[in-house]
Amino acid sequence: MSTVAIIGSFADDVQAAHAIEELRAAQVGDFKTFSPIPSHRIEHAIGLKKSPVRWIVLLGGISGVLTGLAITIGTTYEWRLNAGGKPLLSWPPFIVICFELMVLLGGIFGFLGVLGLSGIPATKIEPGYNGRFGEDRFGIVVRCDEAEAARVETMMKESGAEDVIREGEYQRR
C-alpha cells in the first residue's frame, strides 16, 4: 500500500492537542507536529518523556568534580610544595577548583546535549512543513496508508483543523 501525508493546520494548541490525542487513540500512523511556541498541552498529548539532558548535565558536573580533584591532587603530589608546614592535601582550596570545574563542564555538557538531542542545525526542511507553522499556526503531518487517509482527514476536521491537505495538494505559503 502507498502512504500519503495528511497535513492539518490548527489555530491554537488546544485543538491540535485534541487532534493528537484522537490520532494516538486510533493508532492511524506516524505523525509529526510543528508549533510556533512551546506547548505543554501538545507535549502531554504526544506523550513525551522527560529529556535526558539533565542526566547529561549531571555527568558533566561529576566529571568536572573528578577532573578538579585529579588536577589539584596531581599537581600537589607532582610539585610537593610544603608552605609553612601545612598538609599537602588541603581540602578547602581544592573545593573551589572542583566547584568551578563542575559548573563549567556541567554547562558545556548541557549545551552540547541540547544541541545534539534537538537536531540543531536542521539541514533539511521536513516534508509537509508550512512557513505558517513557525509563525501563527500549529501543524500536524500524518503519514498513513491510502486507505486510512479519509478517516484521518475526518478526524482532523472534527478536531477543529482550519486546513486539511494531502501531500500532493500541498503548496508552501
Side-chain angles (χ1 to χ4, degrees), residues 114-126:
V114 166
L115 226 60
L117 292 173
S118 65
I120 295 176
T123 56
K124 64 176 182 164
I125 295 176
E126 290 288 329

Side-chain angles (χ1 to χ4, degrees), residues 55-77:
W55 296 107
I56 295 171
V57 172
L58 177 66
L59 180 69
I62 290 171
S63 46
V65 168
L66 294 176
T67 302
L69 286 174
I71 288 173
T72 52
I73 293 172
T75 303
T76 301
Y77 278 125

Side-chain angles (χ1 to χ4, degrees), residues 74-91:
T75 303
T76 301
Y77 278 125
E78 179 69 30
W79 290 92
R80 295 218 175 251
L81 296 175
N82 191 348
K86 295 179 187 171
L88 284 177
L89 295 178
S90 178
W91 292 106

